Coordinates of all heavy atoms in Angstrom, one line a residue:
M3 N 30.1 -60.4 -37.7 CA 29.7 -59.8 -38.9 C 30.8 -59.1 -39.5 O 31.6 -58.4 -38.8 CB 28.6 -58.9 -38.5 CG 27.8 -58.4 -39.7 SD 26.2 -59.3 -39.7 CE 25.9 -59.3 -41.4
T4 N 31.0 -59.2 -40.8 CA 32.1 -58.5 -41.5 C 31.5 -57.3 -42.2 O 30.3 -57.1 -42.4 CB 32.7 -59.5 -42.6 OG1 31.7 -59.8 -43.5 CG2 33.2 -60.7 -41.9
D5 N 32.5 -56.4 -42.5 CA 32.1 -55.2 -43.2 C 32.3 -55.3 -44.7 O 32.1 -54.3 -45.4 CB 32.9 -54.0 -42.6 CG 34.4 -54.2 -42.7 OD1 34.8 -55.3 -43.0 OD2 35.1 -53.2 -42.5
R6 N 32.7 -56.4 -45.2 CA 32.9 -56.6 -46.6 C 31.5 -56.9 -47.3 O 30.7 -57.6 -46.8 CB 33.8 -57.8 -46.9 CG 35.2 -57.5 -46.5 CD 36.1 -58.7 -46.6 NE 36.0 -59.4 -45.4 CZ 36.5 -60.6 -45.2 NH1 37.1 -61.3 -46.2 NH2 36.4 -61.2 -44.0
P7 N 31.3 -56.3 -48.4 CA 30.0 -56.4 -49.1 C 29.9 -57.8 -49.8 O 30.8 -58.4 -50.2 CB 30.0 -55.3 -50.2 CG 31.4 -55.1 -50.4 CD 32.1 -55.3 -49.2
T8 N 28.6 -58.3 -49.9 CA 28.4 -59.5 -50.6 C 28.1 -59.2 -52.0 O 27.9 -58.0 -52.4 CB 27.2 -60.3 -50.0 OG1 26.0 -59.5 -50.1 CG2 27.5 -60.7 -48.5
R9 N 28.0 -60.2 -52.9 CA 27.7 -60.0 -54.3 C 26.3 -59.4 -54.5 O 26.0 -58.6 -55.3 CB 27.9 -61.3 -55.1 CG 29.3 -61.6 -55.3 CD 29.5 -62.8 -56.1 NE 30.9 -63.2 -56.2 CZ 31.3 -64.3 -56.5 NH1 30.5 -65.3 -56.7 NH2 32.6 -64.5 -56.5
R10 N 25.4 -59.9 -53.6 CA 24.0 -59.4 -53.7 C 24.0 -57.9 -53.4 O 23.2 -57.2 -54.0 CB 23.2 -60.2 -52.7 CG 21.7 -59.8 -52.7 CD 20.9 -60.6 -51.8 NE 21.0 -62.0 -52.1 CZ 20.0 -62.8 -52.5 NH1 18.8 -62.2 -52.6 NH2 20.2 -64.0 -52.8
E11 N 24.8 -57.5 -52.4 CA 24.8 -56.1 -52.1 C 25.4 -55.2 -53.2 O 25.1 -54.1 -53.4 CB 25.5 -55.8 -50.8 CG 24.7 -56.4 -49.6 CD 25.6 -56.4 -48.3 OE1 26.8 -56.2 -48.4 OE2 25.0 -56.6 -47.3
L12 N 26.4 -55.8 -53.9 CA 27.1 -55.1 -55.0 C 26.2 -54.9 -56.2 O 26.4 -53.8 -56.9 CB 28.4 -55.8 -55.4 CG 29.5 -55.8 -54.4 CD1 30.7 -56.6 -54.8 CD2 29.9 -54.4 -54.1
M13 N 25.4 -55.8 -56.6 CA 24.7 -55.7 -57.8 C 23.2 -55.9 -57.6 O 22.6 -56.9 -57.8 CB 25.1 -56.8 -58.8 CG 26.6 -56.6 -59.2 SD 26.9 -55.0 -60.0 CE 26.3 -55.3 -61.6
R14 N 22.6 -54.8 -57.1 CA 21.1 -54.8 -56.9 C 20.4 -54.4 -58.2 O 21.0 -53.7 -59.0 CB 20.8 -53.9 -55.8 CG 21.4 -54.4 -54.5 CD 21.0 -53.5 -53.3 NE 21.5 -54.1 -52.1 CZ 21.4 -53.6 -50.9 NH1 20.6 -52.5 -50.8 NH2 21.9 -54.2 -49.9
P15 N 19.2 -54.7 -58.3 CA 18.5 -54.3 -59.6 C 18.5 -52.8 -59.9 O 18.6 -52.4 -61.0 CB 17.1 -54.8 -59.4 CG 17.2 -55.9 -58.4 CD 18.4 -55.6 -57.5
V16 N 18.4 -52.0 -58.8 CA 18.4 -50.6 -59.1 C 19.7 -50.1 -59.6 O 19.8 -49.3 -60.5 CB 18.1 -49.8 -57.8 CG1 18.2 -48.3 -57.9 CG2 16.7 -50.2 -57.3
Q17 N 20.8 -50.7 -59.2 CA 22.1 -50.4 -59.7 C 22.3 -50.9 -61.1 O 22.9 -50.2 -62.0 CB 23.2 -51.1 -58.8 CG 23.3 -50.5 -57.5 CD 24.3 -51.2 -56.6 OE1 24.7 -52.3 -56.8 NE2 24.6 -50.5 -55.5
L18 N 21.7 -52.0 -61.5 CA 21.7 -52.5 -62.9 C 21.0 -51.5 -63.8 O 21.5 -51.2 -64.9 CB 21.2 -53.9 -63.0 CG 21.9 -55.0 -62.3 CD1 21.1 -56.3 -62.4 CD2 23.3 -55.1 -62.9
L19 N 19.8 -51.1 -63.3 CA 19.1 -50.1 -64.1 C 19.8 -48.8 -64.2 O 19.8 -48.1 -65.3 CB 17.7 -49.9 -63.5 CG 16.7 -51.0 -63.6 CD1 15.5 -50.7 -62.8 CD2 16.4 -51.3 -65.0
G20 N 20.5 -48.4 -63.2 CA 21.3 -47.1 -63.2 C 22.4 -47.2 -64.2 O 22.7 -46.2 -64.9
I21 N 23.1 -48.3 -64.2 CA 24.3 -48.5 -65.1 C 23.7 -48.5 -66.6 O 24.3 -47.8 -67.4 CB 25.0 -49.8 -64.8 CG1 25.7 -49.7 -63.5 CG2 26.0 -50.1 -65.9 CD1 26.3 -51.0 -63.0
A22 N 22.6 -49.2 -66.8 CA 22.1 -49.2 -68.2 C 21.6 -47.8 -68.6 O 21.8 -47.4 -69.7 CB 20.9 -50.2 -68.2
F23 N 21.0 -47.1 -67.7 CA 20.5 -45.7 -68.0 C 21.7 -44.8 -68.3 O 21.6 -44.0 -69.2 CB 19.7 -45.2 -66.8 CG 19.1 -43.8 -67.1 CD1 18.1 -43.6 -67.9 CD2 19.7 -42.7 -66.4 CE1 17.6 -42.3 -68.2 CE2 19.2 -41.4 -66.6 CZ 18.2 -41.2 -67.5
V24 N 22.7 -44.8 -67.5 CA 23.9 -44.0 -67.8 C 24.5 -44.3 -69.2 O 24.9 -43.4 -69.9 CB 24.9 -44.1 -66.7 CG1 26.3 -43.5 -67.0 CG2 24.4 -43.5 -65.4
C25 N 24.6 -45.6 -69.5 CA 25.1 -46.0 -70.8 C 24.2 -45.5 -71.9 O 24.7 -45.0 -73.0 CB 25.3 -47.5 -70.9 SG 26.6 -48.1 -69.9
A26 N 22.9 -45.5 -71.7 CA 22.0 -45.1 -72.7 C 22.0 -43.6 -72.9 O 22.0 -43.1 -74.0 CB 20.5 -45.5 -72.3
V27 N 22.2 -42.8 -71.8 CA 22.3 -41.4 -71.9 C 23.6 -41.0 -72.7 O 23.6 -40.1 -73.5 CB 22.2 -40.7 -70.5 CG1 22.7 -39.3 -70.6 CG2 20.8 -40.8 -69.9
F28 N 24.7 -41.7 -72.3 CA 25.9 -41.4 -73.0 C 25.8 -41.7 -74.5 O 26.2 -40.9 -75.4 CB 27.0 -42.3 -72.4 CG 28.4 -42.1 -73.1 CD1 29.1 -41.0 -72.9 CD2 28.8 -43.1 -74.0 CE1 30.3 -40.8 -73.5 CE2 30.1 -42.9 -74.6 CZ 30.8 -41.8 -74.4
A29 N 25.2 -42.8 -74.9 CA 25.0 -43.2 -76.3 C 24.1 -42.1 -77.0 O 24.3 -41.8 -78.1 CB 24.5 -44.6 -76.5
G30 N 23.1 -41.7 -76.3 CA 22.2 -40.7 -76.9 C 22.9 -39.3 -77.1 O 22.7 -38.7 -78.1
V31 N 23.7 -38.9 -76.1 CA 24.4 -37.7 -76.3 C 25.4 -37.7 -77.4 O 25.5 -36.8 -78.2 CB 25.1 -37.3 -74.9 CG1 26.1 -36.1 -75.1 CG2 24.1 -36.9 -73.9
V32 N 26.1 -38.8 -77.5 CA 27.1 -39.0 -78.6 C 26.3 -39.0 -79.9 O 26.8 -38.4 -80.9 CB 27.9 -40.3 -78.4 CG1 28.7 -40.6 -79.7 CG2 28.8 -40.2 -77.2
T33 N 25.2 -39.7 -80.0 CA 24.4 -39.7 -81.3 C 23.9 -38.3 -81.6 O 24.0 -37.9 -82.8 CB 23.3 -40.7 -81.1 OG1 23.8 -42.0 -80.8 CG2 22.5 -40.8 -82.4
F34 N 23.4 -37.6 -80.6 CA 22.8 -36.3 -80.9 C 23.9 -35.3 -81.4 O 23.7 -34.5 -82.3 CB 22.2 -35.7 -79.6 CG 21.5 -34.4 -79.8 CD1 20.3 -34.4 -80.4 CD2 22.0 -33.3 -79.3 CE1 19.6 -33.2 -80.6 CE2 21.3 -32.1 -79.4 CZ 20.1 -32.0 -80.1
V35 N 25.1 -35.3 -80.7 CA 26.2 -34.4 -81.1 C 26.7 -34.8 -82.5 O 27.0 -34.0 -83.3 CB 27.3 -34.4 -80.0 CG1 28.5 -33.7 -80.5 CG2 26.7 -33.8 -78.8
S36 N 26.9 -36.1 -82.7 CA 27.5 -36.5 -84.0 C 26.6 -36.4 -85.2 O 27.0 -36.3 -86.3 CB 28.0 -38.0 -83.9 OG 26.9 -38.8 -83.8
T37 N 25.3 -36.3 -85.0 CA 24.3 -36.1 -86.1 C 24.1 -34.6 -86.3 O 23.3 -34.2 -87.2 CB 23.0 -36.8 -85.9 OG1 22.5 -36.4 -84.6 CG2 23.2 -38.3 -85.9
G38 N 24.7 -33.7 -85.6 CA 24.5 -32.3 -85.7 C 23.3 -31.8 -85.1 O 22.6 -30.9 -85.7
G39 N 22.9 -32.3 -83.9 CA 21.7 -31.9 -83.3 C 21.6 -30.5 -82.8 O 20.6 -29.9 -82.6
F40 N 22.8 -29.8 -82.7 CA 22.8 -28.4 -82.2 C 22.6 -27.4 -83.4 O 22.5 -26.2 -83.2 CB 24.1 -28.1 -81.5 CG 24.2 -28.9 -80.2 CD1 25.2 -29.8 -79.9 CD2 23.3 -28.6 -79.2 CE1 25.2 -30.5 -78.7 CE2 23.3 -29.3 -77.9 CZ 24.3 -30.2 -77.7
Q41 N 22.6 -27.9 -84.6 CA 22.4 -27.0 -85.7 C 20.9 -26.8 -85.9 O 20.1 -27.8 -85.8 CB 23.0 -27.7 -87.0 CG 24.5 -27.8 -87.0 CD 25.0 -28.5 -88.2 OE1 24.2 -28.9 -89.1 NE2 26.3 -28.7 -88.3
P42 N 20.5 -25.6 -86.2 CA 19.0 -25.3 -86.2 C 18.3 -26.1 -87.3 O 17.1 -26.5 -87.1 CB 19.0 -23.8 -86.5 CG 20.3 -23.3 -86.2 CD 21.3 -24.4 -86.3
S43 N 18.9 -26.4 -88.4 CA 18.2 -27.1 -89.5 C 18.1 -28.6 -89.3 O 17.3 -29.2 -89.9 CB 18.9 -26.8 -90.8 OG 20.2 -27.3 -90.8
V44 N 19.0 -29.1 -88.4 CA 19.0 -30.6 -88.3 C 18.5 -31.0 -86.9 O 18.2 -32.2 -86.7 CB 20.5 -31.1 -88.5 CG1 20.6 -32.6 -88.4 CG2 21.0 -30.6 -89.8
G45 N 18.4 -30.1 -86.0 CA 18.2 -30.5 -84.6 C 16.9 -31.3 -84.3 O 17.0 -32.3 -83.6
A46 N 15.8 -31.0 -85.0 CA 14.6 -31.7 -84.8 C 14.6 -33.1 -85.4 O 14.0 -34.0 -85.0 CB 13.4 -30.9 -85.3
L47 N 15.4 -33.2 -86.5 CA 15.5 -34.5 -87.1 C 16.4 -35.5 -86.4 O 16.3 -36.7 -86.5 CB 16.1 -34.3 -88.5 CG 15.2 -33.5 -89.5 CD1 15.9 -33.3 -90.8 CD2 13.9 -34.2 -89.7
A48 N 17.3 -35.0 -85.5 CA 18.2 -35.8 -84.8 C 17.6 -36.5 -83.5 O 18.1 -37.5 -83.0 CB 19.5 -35.0 -84.4
L49 N 16.5 -35.9 -83.0 CA 15.9 -36.4 -81.8 C 15.3 -37.8 -81.9 O 15.5 -38.6 -81.0 CB 14.8 -35.4 -81.3 CG 15.4 -34.1 -80.8 CD1 14.2 -33.2 -80.4 CD2 16.3 -34.3 -79.6
P50 N 14.6 -38.2 -83.0 CA 14.1 -39.6 -83.0 C 15.3 -40.6 -83.1 O 15.2 -41.6 -82.5 CB 13.3 -39.6 -84.3 CG 12.9 -38.2 -84.6 CD 14.0 -37.4 -84.1
L51 N 16.3 -40.3 -83.9 CA 17.5 -41.2 -83.9 C 18.1 -41.3 -82.6 O 18.5 -42.4 -82.2 CB 18.4 -40.7 -85.0 CG 19.7 -41.6 -85.2 CD1 19.3 -43.0 -85.7 CD2 20.7 -40.9 -86.1
T52 N 18.2 -40.2 -81.9 CA 18.8 -40.2 -80.5 C 18.0 -41.1 -79.6 O 18.6 -41.8 -78.8 CB 18.9 -38.8 -80.0 OG1 19.7 -38.0 -80.9 CG2 19.5 -38.7 -78.6
A53 N 16.7 -41.0 -79.6 CA 15.9 -41.8 -78.8 C 16.0 -43.2 -79.1 O 16.0 -44.1 -78.2 CB 14.4 -41.3 -78.9
I54 N 16.0 -43.6 -80.4 CA 16.1 -45.0 -80.8 C 17.5 -45.6 -80.3 O 17.5 -46.7 -79.7 CB 16.0 -45.1 -82.3 CG1 14.5 -44.8 -82.7 CG2 16.4 -46.5 -82.8 CD1 14.3 -44.7 -84.1
I55 N 18.6 -44.9 -80.5 CA 19.9 -45.4 -80.1 C 20.0 -45.5 -78.6 O 20.5 -46.5 -78.1 CB 21.0 -44.4 -80.7 CG1 21.0 -44.4 -82.2 CG2 22.3 -44.8 -80.1 CD1 21.4 -45.8 -82.8
G56 N 19.4 -44.5 -77.9 CA 19.4 -44.6 -76.4 C 18.6 -45.8 -75.9 O 19.0 -46.5 -75.0
G57 N 17.4 -46.0 -76.5 CA 16.6 -47.1 -76.0 C 17.2 -48.5 -76.3 O 17.2 -49.4 -75.5
V58 N 17.8 -48.6 -77.5 CA 18.5 -49.9 -77.9 C 19.7 -50.1 -77.0 O 19.9 -51.2 -76.5 CB 18.9 -49.9 -79.4 CG1 19.8 -51.0 -79.7 CG2 17.7 -49.9 -80.2
T59 N 20.4 -49.0 -76.7 CA 21.6 -49.2 -75.8 C 21.1 -49.6 -74.4 O 21.8 -50.5 -73.8 CB 22.4 -47.9 -75.7 OG1 22.8 -47.5 -77.0 CG2 23.6 -48.0 -74.8
F60 N 20.1 -49.0 -73.9 CA 19.5 -49.3 -72.6 C 19.2 -50.8 -72.5 O 19.6 -51.5 -71.6 CB 18.3 -48.5 -72.2 CG 17.7 -48.8 -70.9 CD1 18.3 -48.3 -69.8 CD2 16.6 -49.6 -70.8 CE1 17.7 -48.6 -68.5 CE2 16.0 -49.9 -69.6 CZ 16.6 -49.3 -68.4
I61 N 18.5 -51.3 -73.5 CA 18.0 -52.7 -73.5 C 19.2 -53.7 -73.6 O 19.3 -54.7 -72.9 CB 17.0 -52.9 -74.6 CG1 15.7 -52.2 -74.3 CG2 16.8 -54.4 -74.8 CD1 14.7 -52.2 -75.4
V62 N 20.2 -53.3 -74.5 CA 21.3 -54.2 -74.7 C 22.2 -54.3 -73.5 O 22.6 -55.4 -73.1 CB 22.1 -53.8 -75.9 CG1 23.5 -54.4 -76.0 CG2 21.3 -54.0 -77.2
V63 N 22.5 -53.2 -72.8 CA 23.3 -53.1 -71.6 C 22.6 -53.9 -70.5 O 23.2 -54.7 -69.8 CB 23.7 -51.7 -71.2 CG1 24.3 -51.7 -69.9 CG2 24.6 -51.1 -72.3
L64 N 21.3 -53.6 -70.3 CA 20.6 -54.3 -69.3 C 20.5 -55.8 -69.5 O 20.8 -56.6 -68.5 CB 19.1 -53.8 -69.2 CG 18.3 -54.2 -68.0 CD1 18.9 -53.7 -66.7 CD2 16.9 -53.6 -68.1
L65 N 20.3 -56.2 -70.7 CA 20.3 -57.7 -71.0 C 21.7 -58.3 -70.8 O 21.8 -59.4 -70.3 CB 19.8 -57.9 -72.4 CG 19.7 -59.3 -72.9 CD1 18.6 -60.0 -72.1 CD2 19.4 -59.4 -74.4
G66 N 22.7 -57.6 -71.2 CA 24.1 -58.1 -71.1 C 24.5 -58.2 -69.6 O 25.1 -59.3 -69.2
L67 N 24.2 -57.2 -68.8 CA 24.5 -57.3 -67.4 C 23.7 -58.4 -66.7 O 24.2 -59.1 -65.8 CB 24.3 -56.0 -66.7 CG 25.2 -54.9 -67.0 CD1 24.8 -53.6 -66.4 CD2 26.6 -55.2 -66.6
S68 N 22.5 -58.6 -67.1 CA 21.6 -59.6 -66.5 C 22.2 -61.0 -66.8 O 22.2 -61.9 -66.0 CB 20.2 -59.5 -67.0 OG 19.7 -58.3 -66.6
L69 N 22.6 -61.2 -68.1 CA 23.2 -62.5 -68.5 C 24.5 -62.8 -67.8 O 24.8 -63.9 -67.4 CB 23.4 -62.6 -70.0 CG 22.1 -62.7 -70.8 CD1 22.4 -62.6 -72.3 CD2 21.4 -64.0 -70.5
L70 N 25.3 -61.7 -67.5 CA 26.5 -61.9 -66.8 C 26.3 -62.3 -65.3 O 27.0 -63.1 -64.7 CB 27.4 -60.7 -66.9 CG 28.1 -60.4 -68.2 CD1 28.7 -59.0 -68.2 CD2 29.1 -61.5 -68.5
L71 N 25.2 -61.8 -64.8 CA 24.9 -62.1 -63.4 C 24.4 -63.5 -63.3 O 24.4 -64.1 -62.2 CB 23.8 -61.2 -62.8 CG 24.4 -59.8 -62.4 CD1 23.3 -58.9 -61.9 CD2 25.4 -59.9 -61.4
L72 N 23.8 -64.1 -64.3 CA 23.4 -65.5 -64.3 C 24.6 -66.5 -64.2 O 24.4 -67.6 -63.8 CB 22.6 -65.8 -65.5 CG 21.2 -65.3 -65.6 CD1 20.5 -65.6 -66.9 CD2 20.3 -65.8 -64.5
A73 N 25.8 -66.0 -64.5 CA 27.0 -66.8 -64.4 C 27.4 -67.0 -63.0 O 28.3 -67.9 -62.7 CB 28.1 -66.3 -65.3
V74 N 26.9 -66.2 -62.1 CA 27.3 -66.3 -60.7 C 26.6 -67.5 -60.0 O 25.4 -67.7 -60.2 CB 27.0 -65.0 -59.9 CG1 27.3 -65.2 -58.4 CG2 27.7 -63.9 -60.5
D75 N 27.4 -68.3 -59.3 CA 26.8 -69.5 -58.6 C 25.9 -69.0 -57.4 O 26.4 -68.2 -56.6 CB 27.9 -70.3 -58.0 CG 27.4 -71.6 -57.4 OD1 26.3 -72.0 -57.6 OD2 28.2 -72.2 -56.6
P76 N 24.6 -69.4 -57.4 CA 23.8 -68.9 -56.3 C 24.3 -69.2 -54.9 O 24.0 -68.5 -54.0 CB 22.4 -69.6 -56.6 CG 22.5 -70.0 -58.0 CD 23.9 -70.2 -58.3
A77 N 25.0 -70.3 -54.7 CA 25.5 -70.6 -53.4 C 26.6 -69.6 -53.0 O 26.9 -69.4 -51.8 CB 26.1 -72.0 -53.4
Q78 N 27.2 -68.9 -53.9 CA 28.3 -67.9 -53.6 C 27.7 -66.5 -53.4 O 28.5 -65.6 -53.2 CB 29.4 -68.0 -54.6 CG 30.1 -69.2 -54.7 CD 31.2 -69.2 -55.7 OE1 31.3 -68.2 -56.4 NE2 32.0 -70.2 -55.7
V79 N 26.4 -66.3 -53.6 CA 25.9 -65.0 -53.6 C 26.1 -64.3 -52.2 O 26.3 -63.1 -52.1 CB 24.4 -65.0 -54.0 CG1 23.7 -63.7 -53.7 CG2 24.3 -65.3 -55.4
E80 N 25.9 -65.1 -51.1 CA 26.0 -64.6 -49.8 C 27.4 -64.6 -49.2 O 27.7 -64.1 -48.1 CB 25.1 -65.4 -48.8 CG 23.6 -65.2 -49.2 CD 23.1 -63.8 -49.0 OE1 23.6 -63.1 -48.2 OE2 22.3 -63.4 -49.8
K81 N 28.4 -65.1 -50.0 CA 29.8 -65.1 -49.5 C 30.4 -63.7 -49.6 O 30.2 -63.1 -50.6 CB 30.6 -66.1 -50.3 CG 30.3 -67.5 -50.0 CD 31.1 -68.5 -50.8 CE 32.6 -68.3 -50.8 NZ 33.3 -69.3 -51.6
P82 N 31.1 -63.2 -48.6 CA 31.8 -61.9 -48.7 C 32.9 -62.0 -49.7 O 33.6 -63.0 -49.9 CB 32.3 -61.6 -47.3 CG 32.2 -62.9 -46.6 CD 31.3 -63.8 -47.3
I83 N 33.2 -60.9 -50.4 CA 34.2 -60.9 -51.4 C 35.4 -60.2 -50.8 O 35.4 -59.0 -50.4 CB 33.8 -60.1 -52.7 CG1 32.6 -60.7 -53.3 CG2 34.9 -59.9 -53.7 CD1 31.9 -59.9 -54.3
D84 N 36.6 -60.9 -50.7 CA 37.7 -60.3 -50.1 C 39.0 -60.4 -51.0 O 40.0 -60.0 -50.7 CB 38.1 -61.0 -48.8 CG 38.3 -62.5 -48.9 OD1 37.9 -63.0 -50.0 OD2 38.7 -63.1 -47.9
R85 N 38.8 -60.9 -52.2 CA 39.8 -61.0 -53.2 C 39.2 -61.0 -54.6 O 38.0 -61.0 -54.7 CB 40.7 -62.2 -53.0 CG 39.9 -63.5 -52.9 CD 40.7 -64.7 -52.5 NE 41.6 -65.0 -53.6 CZ 42.3 -66.1 -53.7 NH1 42.3 -66.9 -52.8 NH2 43.1 -66.3 -54.8
A86 N 40.1 -61.1 -55.6 CA 39.6 -61.1 -57.0 C 38.7 -62.3 -57.2 O 38.9 -63.4 -56.7 CB 40.7 -61.1 -58.0
V87 N 37.6 -62.1 -58.0 CA 36.6 -63.1 -58.1 C 37.1 -64.3 -59.0 O 36.8 -65.5 -58.7 CB 35.3 -62.5 -58.8 CG1 34.3 -63.6 -59.0 CG2 34.8 -61.4 -57.9
L88 N 37.9 -64.1 -60.0 CA 38.3 -65.1 -60.9 C 39.5 -65.9 -60.4 O 39.9 -66.9 -61.1 CB 38.6 -64.6 -62.3 CG 37.4 -63.9 -63.0 CD1 37.8 -63.4 -64.3 CD2 36.3 -65.0 -63.2
L89 N 40.1 -65.6 -59.3 CA 41.2 -66.3 -58.7 C 40.7 -67.6 -58.1 O 39.6 -67.7 -57.6 CB 42.0 -65.5 -57.7 CG 42.8 -64.3 -58.2 CD1 43.4 -63.6 -57.0 CD2 43.8 -64.8 -59.2
D90 N 41.6 -68.7 -58.2 CA 41.2 -69.9 -57.5 C 41.3 -69.8 -56.0 O 41.9 -68.9 -55.5 CB 42.2 -71.0 -57.9 CG 42.1 -71.4 -59.4 OD1 41.0 -71.2 -60.0 OD2 43.1 -71.8 -60.0
D91 N 40.5 -70.7 -55.3 CA 40.5 -70.6 -53.9 C 41.9 -71.0 -53.3 O 42.4 -70.3 -52.4 CB 39.5 -71.5 -53.3 CG 38.1 -71.0 -53.6 OD1 37.9 -69.8 -53.7 OD2 37.1 -71.8 -53.7
E92 N 42.5 -72.0 -53.8 CA 43.8 -72.5 -53.4 C 44.7 -72.5 -54.7 O 44.6 -73.5 -55.4 CB 43.7 -73.8 -52.8 CG 43.0 -73.9 -51.5 CD 43.6 -73.1 -50.4 OE1 44.9 -73.0 -50.3 OE2 42.9 -72.5 -49.6
P93 N 45.6 -71.6 -54.9 CA 46.4 -71.6 -56.1 C 47.4 -72.8 -56.0 O 48.0 -73.0 -55.0 CB 47.1 -70.3 -56.1 CG 46.9 -69.7 -54.7 CD 45.7 -70.4 -54.1
N94 N 47.5 -73.5 -57.1 CA 48.4 -74.7 -57.2 C 49.7 -74.3 -57.8 O 50.6 -75.1 -57.7 CB 47.7 -75.8 -58.0 CG 46.4 -76.3 -57.4 OD1 46.3 -76.3 -56.2 ND2 45.5 -76.8 -58.2
D95 N 49.8 -73.2 -58.5 CA 51.0 -72.8 -59.1 C 52.0 -72.2 -58.1 O 51.6 -71.5 -57.2 CB 50.8 -71.8 -60.2 CG 49.9 -72.3 -61.3 OD1 49.9 -73.6 -61.5 OD2 49.2 -71.5 -61.9
P96 N 53.3 -72.6 -58.3 CA 54.3 -71.9 -57.4 C 54.4 -70.5 -57.7 O 54.1 -70.0 -58.8 CB 55.6 -72.7 -57.7 CG 55.4 -73.2 -59.1 CD 53.9 -73.5 -59.2
P97 N 54.8 -69.7 -56.7 CA 54.9 -68.2 -57.0 C 56.0 -67.9 -58.0 O 57.1 -68.6 -58.0 CB 55.3 -67.6 -55.6 CG 55.7 -68.7 -54.8 CD 55.1 -70.0 -55.4
R98 N 55.8 -66.9 -58.9 CA 56.8 -66.6 -59.9 C 57.8 -65.7 -59.2 O 57.6 -64.9 -58.4 CB 56.1 -65.8 -61.0 CG 55.2 -66.7 -61.8 CD 54.6 -65.9 -62.9 NE 53.7 -66.7 -63.7 CZ 53.0 -66.3 -64.7 NH1 53.2 -65.0 -65.1 NH2 52.2 -67.1 -65.4
S99 N 59.1 -65.9 -59.7 CA 60.2 -65.0 -59.1 C 60.6 -63.9 -60.1 O 60.1 -63.7 -61.1 CB 61.4 -65.8 -58.8 OG 61.6 -66.9 -59.7

């Protein structure tokens, strides 16, 4: 048994939801601050826009990560990762000097 993680262990659904949630919170905070949410006269008006931007960001990030995971070959899901994913298995190019 190896101690290297598999792709399935690296990208679990809870982790995908966590990444999308963090991105949505970041987008919401940026929207709230940039619309002047801390000002007393504008604060209540900025909350609906902040919620909309955060929700759209959550959905877009979750959908984007899910589509990127579909590009992974299911046969390689259980293979341990010990090098960069996009490198060829056997490089044909001679080493650069």
Side-chain angles (χ1 to χ4, degrees):
M3 193 105 210
T4 62
D5 58 347
R6 289 177 272 171
T8 61
R9 288 184 181 156
R10 182 177 301 245
E11 292 169 349
L12 287 177
M13 297 303 282
R14 295 185 180 181
V16 174
Q17 292 174 344
L18 294 176
L19 290 173
I21 292 170
F23 180 73
V24 168
C25 292
V27 167
F28 178 75
V31 167
V32 169
T33 303
F34 186 74
V35 170
S36 64
T37 55
F40 292 116
Q41 296 176 358
S43 62
V44 183
L47 299 174
L49 289 177
L51 180 63
T52 300
I54 291 170
I55 295 296
V58 168
T59 302
F60 179 80
I61 291 170
V62 167
V63 170
L64 189 62
L65 183 64
L67 288 175
S68 300
L69 288 174
L70 286 173
L71 283 178
L72 286 176
V74 176
D75 184 19
Q78 294 182 353
V79 170
E80 295 297 327
K81 287 175 58 177
I83 300 171
D84 57 349
R85 53 186 289 191
V87 178
L88 295 177
L89 290 178
D90 294 333
D91 291 332
E92 295 294 327
N94 297 330
D95 298 333
R98 294 182 180 179
S99 33

